[in-house]
Amino acid sequence: SQTASARTDIRDCSMDPPYLPPTATNTTARLTALRATMRARSVDAYIVPSTDAHMSEYIAERDARLGWLTGFTGSAGTVVVTQDKAALWTDSRYWTQAERQLDCNWELQRTTWIQSIGLWIVEAVPEGHNVSLDPFLFSIDTWDSYSQALQSFGRTLLPLETNFVDEVWGDQRPPVASSEIYSLPAAFTGSSWQEKVAGIRQQMEQHSRHPTAVLLSGLEETAWLFNLRGDDIPYNPVFYSYTLLTHTSISLFVDEARLSASARESLQAECPGKLCVELLGYGEARAHLHRYAQGNVIIWLGTEYTNYGLYSAIPQEKLLEESYSPVMLAKAVKNTKEQDLLRAAHVRDAVAVIQYLLWLEKMVPQGLVDEFSGAQHIDALRKAQQHNRGPSFQSISASG
């Protein structure tokens, strides 16, 4: 029939054998390995999100666990795997894409509500059985929502710090970022990192609950605070890190070997002292936080992007929870110099866009340009502008 031939780009699991388009990924071996790992740990359902430990909107290839497991490359989704079922929840932007990329191991659920994921799990997993997830990949709020959705039905939510997908992915998983973390030149910063730290410490003193520390989990928070940049995530000038800032000390959890010489010098120029940045391994954040939380302390954090794995290391009475940390809010307010820099960047970008429109007017009538070559050309025009470090996302061009 015509409809069948017209839609050969999406899967048809009702046929025998099922029809899969060439864009679908065969996930049978990956699911078999994941289920074996789950059985070995007595886990009946495993939840996999599409984010990283910092709730980043865009993620590195190494963190694309959902994409590797399913073949689905959309930026938002949640997956649940049991011994005999596997389902993906995603929003309407991605339904067609999912039907092109998933094989018939997967059910597509056309919703994103945690309640609906919870109800699916309750139906798929008998009472008293274990539902597990990696606590470092869920925000505090998301964790609480799952916990409430499941515990009222007698299903236990079990945080396990080894990530099952990482275990199965093994040495095929993309490596840890190794590129340089560098200092932003003073010409591009509104204020020095020492001034920023002083401003945050002042806010800590003025807060009615007198927090003794601020925990920074958002990657852009640490990058902004120390005037450092990296490229661990495509199109985003950030690097994997956490920061714990107290009145007298600063701990930066990062892969120290990647810091440029000038970055390290800038961070440690005033050692010892309360403007000395202590460099600790990225993986040491939770243990350090746990030790710090034993004392007579109050830790201020942003619940929107702090993961449950770190949060659970801090006793409830020692927490000051707000949606965003004071660093996230300070970063959002641009001073005069930053405003001037933003305007200048927009002017440079506008020049590139005007050059592009002129080029299109000449090229399109000759039939010499398509969406892809157009995107490549505007990227090249932007790159030719001074101070350009690349686009902020992949150029999306359309016609008709």
Side-chain angles (χ1 to χ4, degrees), residues 29 32 45 62 78-79 91 100 107 123-124 156 195 220 222 237 255 272 314 331 359 377-378 380 389-390 399:
T32 304
R62 181 177 169 78
T78 303
V79 148
D91 64 78
R100 287 174 180 158
E107 297 170 18
E123 280 186 20
T156 315
E195 289 166 333
E220 64 275 41
T222 289
D255 179 0
I314 309 165
K331 180 177 96 59
W359 178 81
H377 190 69
I378 194 164
R389 308 264 339 189
S399 64

PDB file of all heavy atoms in Angstrom, residues 29 32 45 62 78-79 91 100 107 123-124 156 195 220 222 237 255 272 314 331 359 377-378 380 389-390 399:
ATOM      1  N   ALA A  29      21.950  -6.936  22.271  1.00  0.00           N
ATOM      2  CA  ALA A  29      23.124  -7.345  23.061  1.00  0.00           C
ATOM      3  C   ALA A  29      23.323  -6.424  24.267  1.00  0.00           C
ATOM      4  O   ALA A  29      23.646  -6.879  25.375  1.00  0.00           O
ATOM      5  CB  ALA A  29      24.376  -7.337  22.174  1.00  0.00           C
ATOM      6  N   THR A  32      20.675  -7.271  26.880  1.00  0.00           N
ATOM      7  CA  THR A  32      20.968  -8.569  27.506  1.00  0.00           C
ATOM      8  C   THR A  32      22.046  -8.401  28.575  1.00  0.00           C
ATOM      9  O   THR A  32      21.927  -8.922  29.689  1.00  0.00           O
ATOM     10  CB  THR A  32      21.426  -9.593  26.432  1.00  0.00           C
ATOM     11  OG1 THR A  32      20.401  -9.668  25.442  1.00  0.00           O
ATOM     12  CG2 THR A  32      21.660 -10.965  27.029  1.00  0.00           C
ATOM     13  N   ALA A  45      14.122  -3.206  38.289  1.00  0.00           N
ATOM     14  CA  ALA A  45      13.935  -2.159  37.268  1.00  0.00           C
ATOM     15  C   ALA A  45      15.063  -1.151  37.431  1.00  0.00           C
ATOM     16  O   ALA A  45      15.467  -0.837  38.553  1.00  0.00           O
ATOM     17  CB  ALA A  45      12.586  -1.475  37.437  1.00  0.00           C
ATOM     18  N   ARG A  62      30.478  10.946  26.503  1.00  0.00           N
ATOM     19  CA  ARG A  62      30.735   9.989  27.591  1.00  0.00           C
ATOM     20  C   ARG A  62      29.524   9.827  28.508  1.00  0.00           C
ATOM     21  O   ARG A  62      29.342   8.782  29.139  1.00  0.00           O
ATOM     22  CB  ARG A  62      31.945  10.507  28.378  1.00  0.00           C
ATOM     23  CG  ARG A  62      32.370   9.634  29.520  1.00  0.00           C
ATOM     24  CD  ARG A  62      33.619  10.196  30.180  1.00  0.00           C
ATOM     25  NE  ARG A  62      33.892   9.497  31.434  1.00  0.00           N
ATOM     26  CZ  ARG A  62      34.448   8.296  31.506  1.00  0.00           C
ATOM     27  NH1 ARG A  62      34.794   7.656  30.412  1.00  0.00           N
ATOM     28  NH2 ARG A  62      34.660   7.715  32.674  1.00  0.00           N
ATOM     29  N   THR A  78      13.803   9.605  29.261  1.00  0.00           N
ATOM     30  CA  THR A  78      14.060   8.724  30.402  1.00  0.00           C
ATOM     31  C   THR A  78      13.769   7.303  29.954  1.00  0.00           C
ATOM     32  O   THR A  78      12.826   7.078  29.200  1.00  0.00           O
ATOM     33  CB  THR A  78      13.131   9.080  31.590  1.00  0.00           C
ATOM     34  OG1 THR A  78      13.314  10.448  31.931  1.00  0.00           O
ATOM     35  CG2 THR A  78      13.441   8.224  32.809  1.00  0.00           C
ATOM     36  N   VAL A  79      14.578   6.359  30.438  1.00  0.00           N
ATOM     37  CA  VAL A  79      14.419   4.964  30.067  1.00  0.00           C
ATOM     38  C   VAL A  79      14.250   4.134  31.330  1.00  0.00           C
ATOM     39  O   VAL A  79      14.876   4.428  32.353  1.00  0.00           O
ATOM     40  CB  VAL A  79      15.679   4.506  29.284  1.00  0.00           C
ATOM     41  CG1 VAL A  79      15.999   3.056  29.524  1.00  0.00           C
ATOM     42  CG2 VAL A  79      15.499   4.787  27.805  1.00  0.00           C
ATOM     43  N   ASP A  91       9.301  13.681  24.922  1.00  0.00           N
ATOM     44  CA  ASP A  91       8.239  14.633  24.577  1.00  0.00           C
ATOM     45  C   ASP A  91       8.016  14.697  23.064  1.00  0.00           C
ATOM     46  O   ASP A  91       8.769  14.130  22.280  1.00  0.00           O
ATOM     47  CB  ASP A  91       8.555  16.015  25.161  1.00  0.00           C
ATOM     48  CG  ASP A  91       9.807  16.622  24.560  1.00  0.00           C
ATOM     49  OD1 ASP A  91       9.734  17.132  23.422  1.00  0.00           O
ATOM     50  OD2 ASP A  91      10.863  16.584  25.226  1.00  0.00           O
ATOM     51  N   ARG A 100      12.189   6.286  14.404  1.00  0.00           N
ATOM     52  CA  ARG A 100      13.230   6.003  13.401  1.00  0.00           C
ATOM     53  C   ARG A 100      14.446   5.331  14.016  1.00  0.00           C
ATOM     54  O   ARG A 100      15.169   4.611  13.336  1.00  0.00           O
ATOM     55  CB  ARG A 100      13.694   7.315  12.747  1.00  0.00           C
ATOM     56  CG  ARG A 100      12.683   7.916  11.795  1.00  0.00           C
ATOM     57  CD  ARG A 100      13.164   9.276  11.317  1.00  0.00           C
ATOM     58  NE  ARG A 100      12.193   9.864  10.408  1.00  0.00           N
ATOM     59  CZ  ARG A 100      12.097  11.166  10.161  1.00  0.00           C
ATOM     60  NH1 ARG A 100      12.915  12.019  10.747  1.00  0.00           N
ATOM     61  NH2 ARG A 100      11.189  11.617   9.327  1.00  0.00           N
ATOM     62  N   GLU A 107       9.445   0.072  24.002  1.00  0.00           N
ATOM     63  CA  GLU A 107       8.128   0.721  23.911  1.00  0.00           C
ATOM     64  C   GLU A 107       8.386   2.223  23.942  1.00  0.00           C
ATOM     65  O   GLU A 107       9.195   2.690  24.739  1.00  0.00           O
ATOM     66  CB  GLU A 107       7.275   0.423  25.155  1.00  0.00           C
ATOM     67  CG  GLU A 107       6.910  -1.004  25.410  1.00  0.00           C
ATOM     68  CD  GLU A 107       6.270  -1.145  26.811  1.00  0.00           C
ATOM     69  OE1 GLU A 107       5.815  -0.125  27.391  1.00  0.00           O
ATOM     70  OE2 GLU A 107       6.247  -2.273  27.310  1.00  0.00           O
ATOM     71  N   GLU A 123       3.287  -1.312  37.523  1.00  0.00           N
ATOM     72  CA  GLU A 123       2.658  -2.414  36.778  1.00  0.00           C
ATOM     73  C   GLU A 123       3.672  -3.482  36.383  1.00  0.00           C
ATOM     74  O   GLU A 123       3.364  -4.672  36.343  1.00  0.00           O
ATOM     75  CB  GLU A 123       1.961  -1.884  35.516  1.00  0.00           C
ATOM     76  CG  GLU A 123       0.604  -1.287  35.810  1.00  0.00           C
ATOM     77  CD  GLU A 123      -0.145  -0.895  34.533  1.00  0.00           C
ATOM     78  OE1 GLU A 123       0.198  -1.411  33.444  1.00  0.00           O
ATOM     79  OE2 GLU A 123      -1.062  -0.072  34.643  1.00  0.00           O
ATOM     80  N   ALA A 124       4.905  -3.052  36.060  1.00  0.00           N
ATOM     81  CA  ALA A 124       5.911  -3.989  35.531  1.00  0.00           C
ATOM     82  C   ALA A 124       6.658  -4.746  36.627  1.00  0.00           C
ATOM     83  O   ALA A 124       7.208  -5.817  36.383  1.00  0.00           O
ATOM     84  CB  ALA A 124       6.905  -3.236  34.648  1.00  0.00           C
ATOM     85  N   THR A 156      10.636  -0.282  46.444  1.00  0.00           N
ATOM     86  CA  THR A 156      11.773   0.379  47.094  1.00  0.00           C
ATOM     87  C   THR A 156      12.677   1.046  46.054  1.00  0.00           C
ATOM     88  O   THR A 156      13.044   0.410  45.061  1.00  0.00           O
ATOM     89  CB  THR A 156      12.619  -0.663  47.858  1.00  0.00           C
ATOM     90  OG1 THR A 156      11.724  -1.507  48.580  1.00  0.00           O
ATOM     91  CG2 THR A 156      13.583   0.014  48.808  1.00  0.00           C
ATOM     92  N   GLU A 195      37.464  38.897  43.612  1.00  0.00           N
ATOM     93  CA  GLU A 195      36.340  39.803  43.903  1.00  0.00           C
ATOM     94  C   GLU A 195      35.019  39.036  43.941  1.00  0.00           C
ATOM     95  O   GLU A 195      34.155  39.301  44.780  1.00  0.00           O
ATOM     96  CB  GLU A 195      36.267  40.907  42.835  1.00  0.00           C
ATOM     97  CG  GLU A 195      37.396  41.918  42.918  1.00  0.00           C
ATOM     98  CD  GLU A 195      37.505  42.814  41.662  1.00  0.00           C
ATOM     99  OE1 GLU A 195      37.105  42.387  40.561  1.00  0.00           O
ATOM    100  OE2 GLU A 195      38.003  43.938  41.823  1.00  0.00           O
ATOM    101  N   GLU A 220      28.633  25.716  34.907  1.00  0.00           N
ATOM    102  CA  GLU A 220      28.856  27.122  34.575  1.00  0.00           C
ATOM    103  C   GLU A 220      29.139  27.961  35.818  1.00  0.00           C
ATOM    104  O   GLU A 220      29.724  29.032  35.731  1.00  0.00           O
ATOM    105  CB  GLU A 220      27.677  27.683  33.765  1.00  0.00           C
ATOM    106  CG  GLU A 220      26.348  27.733  34.478  1.00  0.00           C
ATOM    107  CD  GLU A 220      25.563  26.430  34.407  1.00  0.00           C
ATOM    108  OE1 GLU A 220      26.153  25.342  34.531  1.00  0.00           O
ATOM    109  OE2 GLU A 220      24.346  26.513  34.239  1.00  0.00           O
ATOM    110  N   THR A 222      31.131  27.123  38.523  1.00  0.00           N
ATOM    111  CA  THR A 222      32.570  27.074  38.820  1.00  0.00           C
ATOM    112  C   THR A 222      33.360  27.818  37.742  1.00  0.00           C
ATOM    113  O   THR A 222      34.294  28.565  38.044  1.00  0.00           O
ATOM    114  CB  THR A 222      33.036  25.609  38.962  1.00  0.00           C
ATOM    115  OG1 THR A 222      32.493  25.080  40.175  1.00  0.00           O
ATOM    116  CG2 THR A 222      34.548  25.501  39.000  1.00  0.00           C
ATOM    117  N   PRO A 237      31.361  26.163  27.029  1.00  0.00           N
ATOM    118  CA  PRO A 237      32.755  26.408  27.449  1.00  0.00           C
ATOM    119  C   PRO A 237      33.030  26.000  28.895  1.00  0.00           C
ATOM    120  O   PRO A 237      33.611  26.752  29.667  1.00  0.00           O
ATOM    121  CB  PRO A 237      32.889  27.926  27.258  1.00  0.00           C
ATOM    122  CG  PRO A 237      31.512  28.445  27.530  1.00  0.00           C
ATOM    123  CD  PRO A 237      30.555  27.393  27.034  1.00  0.00           C
ATOM    124  N   ASP A 255      40.108  17.772  37.498  1.00  0.00           N
ATOM    125  CA  ASP A 255      41.304  17.052  37.074  1.00  0.00           C
ATOM    126  C   ASP A 255      42.444  18.059  36.968  1.00  0.00           C
ATOM    127  O   ASP A 255      42.589  18.766  35.965  1.00  0.00           O
ATOM    128  CB  ASP A 255      41.047  16.352  35.735  1.00  0.00           C
ATOM    129  CG  ASP A 255      42.281  15.600  35.239  1.00  0.00           C
ATOM    130  OD1 ASP A 255      43.325  15.627  35.925  1.00  0.00           O
ATOM    131  OD2 ASP A 255      42.189  14.997  34.155  1.00  0.00           O
ATOM    132  N   PRO A 272      49.558  30.165  51.390  1.00  0.00           N
ATOM    133  CA  PRO A 272      48.310  29.780  52.049  1.00  0.00           C
ATOM    134  C   PRO A 272      47.481  31.022  52.391  1.00  0.00           C
ATOM    135  O   PRO A 272      48.023  32.127  52.426  1.00  0.00           O
ATOM    136  CB  PRO A 272      48.805  29.081  53.313  1.00  0.00           C
ATOM    137  CG  PRO A 272      50.117  29.740  53.621  1.00  0.00           C
ATOM    138  CD  PRO A 272      50.714  30.137  52.296  1.00  0.00           C
ATOM    139  N   ILE A 314      24.786  15.007  53.046  1.00  0.00           N
ATOM    140  CA  ILE A 314      24.651  16.100  54.014  1.00  0.00           C
ATOM    141  C   ILE A 314      23.409  15.883  54.876  1.00  0.00           C
ATOM    142  O   ILE A 314      22.313  15.727  54.339  1.00  0.00           O
ATOM    143  CB  ILE A 314      24.513  17.463  53.284  1.00  0.00           C
ATOM    144  CG1 ILE A 314      25.630  17.645  52.252  1.00  0.00           C
ATOM    145  CG2 ILE A 314      24.502  18.614  54.281  1.00  0.00           C
ATOM    146  CD1 ILE A 314      25.377  18.770  51.254  1.00  0.00           C
ATOM    147  N   LYS A 331      25.912  35.397  38.795  1.00  0.00           N
ATOM    148  CA  LYS A 331      26.343  35.214  37.413  1.00  0.00           C
ATOM    149  C   LYS A 331      25.322  35.790  36.426  1.00  0.00           C
ATOM    150  O   LYS A 331      25.672  36.286  35.353  1.00  0.00           O
ATOM    151  CB  LYS A 331      26.529  33.713  37.155  1.00  0.00           C
ATOM    152  CG  LYS A 331      26.975  33.330  35.775  1.00  0.00           C
ATOM    153  CD  LYS A 331      27.185  31.828  35.668  1.00  0.00           C
ATOM    154  CE  LYS A 331      26.004  31.098  35.118  1.00  0.00           C
ATOM    155  NZ  LYS A 331      25.582  31.505  33.772  1.00  0.00           N
ATOM    156  N   TRP A 359      25.395  36.543   0.785  1.00  0.00           N
ATOM    157  CA  TRP A 359      25.873  35.353   0.069  1.00  0.00           C
ATOM    158  C   TRP A 359      24.689  34.498  -0.417  1.00  0.00           C
ATOM    159  O   TRP A 359      24.674  34.037  -1.555  1.00  0.00           O
ATOM    160  CB  TRP A 359      26.781  34.570   1.015  1.00  0.00           C
ATOM    161  CG  TRP A 359      27.346  33.282   0.466  1.00  0.00           C
ATOM    162  CD1 TRP A 359      28.432  33.143  -0.355  1.00  0.00           C
ATOM    163  CD2 TRP A 359      26.867  31.953   0.726  1.00  0.00           C
ATOM    164  NE1 TRP A 359      28.665  31.806  -0.613  1.00  0.00           N
ATOM    165  CE2 TRP A 359      27.714  31.051   0.039  1.00  0.00           C
ATOM    166  CE3 TRP A 359      25.811  31.432   1.493  1.00  0.00           C
ATOM    167  CZ2 TRP A 359      27.549  29.672   0.077  1.00  0.00           C
ATOM    168  CZ3 TRP A 359      25.635  30.063   1.531  1.00  0.00           C
ATOM    169  CH2 TRP A 359      26.488  29.194   0.827  1.00  0.00           C
ATOM    170  N   HIS A 377      28.694  27.391   5.776  1.00  0.00           N
ATOM    171  CA  HIS A 377      29.180  28.706   5.369  1.00  0.00           C
ATOM    172  C   HIS A 377      29.022  29.732   6.496  1.00  0.00           C
ATOM    173  O   HIS A 377      29.944  30.515   6.754  1.00  0.00           O
ATOM    174  CB  HIS A 377      28.454  29.183   4.104  1.00  0.00           C
ATOM    175  CG  HIS A 377      29.070  30.410   3.508  1.00  0.00           C
ATOM    176  ND1 HIS A 377      30.314  30.391   2.904  1.00  0.00           N
ATOM    177  CD2 HIS A 377      28.637  31.694   3.439  1.00  0.00           C
ATOM    178  CE1 HIS A 377      30.622  31.621   2.495  1.00  0.00           C
ATOM    179  NE2 HIS A 377      29.613  32.423   2.798  1.00  0.00           N
ATOM    180  N   ILE A 378      27.864  29.717   7.177  1.00  0.00           N
ATOM    181  CA  ILE A 378      27.695  30.715   8.253  1.00  0.00           C
ATOM    182  C   ILE A 378      28.656  30.421   9.408  1.00  0.00           C
ATOM    183  O   ILE A 378      29.186  31.351  10.032  1.00  0.00           O
ATOM    184  CB  ILE A 378      26.235  30.852   8.733  1.00  0.00           C
ATOM    185  CG1 ILE A 378      26.111  32.128   9.585  1.00  0.00           C
ATOM    186  CG2 ILE A 378      25.740  29.628   9.476  1.00  0.00           C
ATOM    187  CD1 ILE A 378      24.719  32.623   9.830  1.00  0.00           C
ATOM    188  N   ALA A 380      31.655  29.308   9.031  1.00  0.00           N
ATOM    189  CA  ALA A 380      32.960  29.829   8.576  1.00  0.00           C
ATOM    190  C   ALA A 380      33.015  31.353   8.701  1.00  0.00           C
ATOM    191  O   ALA A 380      34.038  31.919   9.101  1.00  0.00           O
ATOM    192  CB  ALA A 380      33.206  29.400   7.137  1.00  0.00           C
ATOM    193  N   ARG A 389      35.113  31.575  19.359  1.00  0.00           N
ATOM    194  CA  ARG A 389      35.551  30.267  19.886  1.00  0.00           C
ATOM    195  C   ARG A 389      34.641  29.154  19.399  1.00  0.00           C
ATOM    196  O   ARG A 389      34.639  28.063  19.962  1.00  0.00           O
ATOM    197  CB  ARG A 389      35.553  30.265  21.419  1.00  0.00           C
ATOM    198  CG  ARG A 389      36.309  31.398  22.059  1.00  0.00           C
ATOM    199  CD  ARG A 389      37.717  31.186  22.483  1.00  0.00           C
ATOM    200  NE  ARG A 389      38.232  29.864  22.716  1.00  0.00           N
ATOM    201  CZ  ARG A 389      39.420  29.647  23.251  1.00  0.00           C
ATOM    202  NH1 ARG A 389      40.183  30.657  23.625  1.00  0.00           N
ATOM    203  NH2 ARG A 389      39.856  28.429  23.420  1.00  0.00           N
ATOM    204  N   GLY A 390      33.814  29.434  18.395  1.00  0.00           N
ATOM    205  CA  GLY A 390      32.919  28.404  17.866  1.00  0.00           C
ATOM    206  C   GLY A 390      31.473  28.702  18.194  1.00  0.00           C
ATOM    207  O   GLY A 390      31.183  29.570  19.019  1.00  0.00           O
ATOM    208  N   SER A 399      14.747  25.612   4.906  1.00  0.00           N
ATOM    209  CA  SER A 399      14.285  26.365   3.763  1.00  0.00           C
ATOM    210  C   SER A 399      12.853  25.931   3.437  1.00  0.00           C
ATOM    211  O   SER A 399      12.406  24.867   3.905  1.00  0.00           O
ATOM    212  CB  SER A 399      15.188  26.129   2.557  1.00  0.00           C
ATOM    213  OG  SER A 399      15.137  24.782   2.161  1.00  0.00           O
TER     214      SER A 399
END
